[in-house]
Amino acid sequence: MDKKILLEECDFKAVRSSGQGGQHVNKTSTKVVLLWNLQSSAALSEDEKQRVNFKLSNRVTKDGNLVLSNDHSRSQLKNKEALIKNFLLMIEKALT
């Protein structure tokens, strides 16, 4: 598994968080969404792809996309950093 290639394959977008939070939440896009296509990944071998797909089957869409989001912080940067950390940890655990 090559972490650098994995992160290059990810698409990130910032969206508005939902729910309560005062005026700030309605004006800024702090929630970060990660989209990664498992089937087209060059960072994993075919065996690794099958293992990840099996272990994360409840999180992988029918199209083979893994979609994760984070909106715990008011900072878009902190949310993106936490999301990347969680994504890499999730893939590492799925490969063991």
Side-chain angles (χ1 to χ4, degrees):
M1 176 180 86
D2 189 342
K3 292 180 182 181
K4 183 178 178 184
I5 294 174
L6 266 179
L7 293 177
E8 288 174 358
E9 295 174 343
C10 292
D11 291 325
F12 295 94
K13 68 179 172 180
V15 295
R16 290 188 180 161
S17 297
S18 61
Q20 297 178 344
Q23 295 172 338
H24 181 72
V25 75
N26 297 326
K27 296 179 183 175
T28 58
S29 299
T30 56
K31 180 178 182 178
V32 179
V33 178
L34 176 146
L35 180 68
W36 175 67
N37 190 285
L38 172 62
Q39 302 307 323
S40 66
S41 177
L44 303 175
S45 68
E46 289 302 317
D47 182 48
E48 290 174 327
K49 288 178 189 179
Q50 289 177 357
R51 196 173 315 144
V52 170
N53 191 35
F54 176 74
K55 291 198 176 177
L56 299 178
S57 61
N58 61 334
R59 291 182 169 262
V60 176
T61 65
K62 292 177 185 176
D63 300 331
N65 291 319
L66 179 67
V67 181
L68 302 173
S69 65
N70 189 325
D71 62 351
H72 296 292
S73 172
R74 288 182 140 192
S75 166
Q76 188 181 112
L77 180 61
K78 287 181 182 178
N79 285 333
K80 185 175 181 180
E81 290 171 350
L83 188 59
I84 289 170
K85 183 178 175 182
N86 291 340
F87 169 69
L88 293 174
L89 186 62
M90 183 181 295
I91 298 299
E92 286 176 8
K93 284 185 177 181
L95 290 173
T96 57

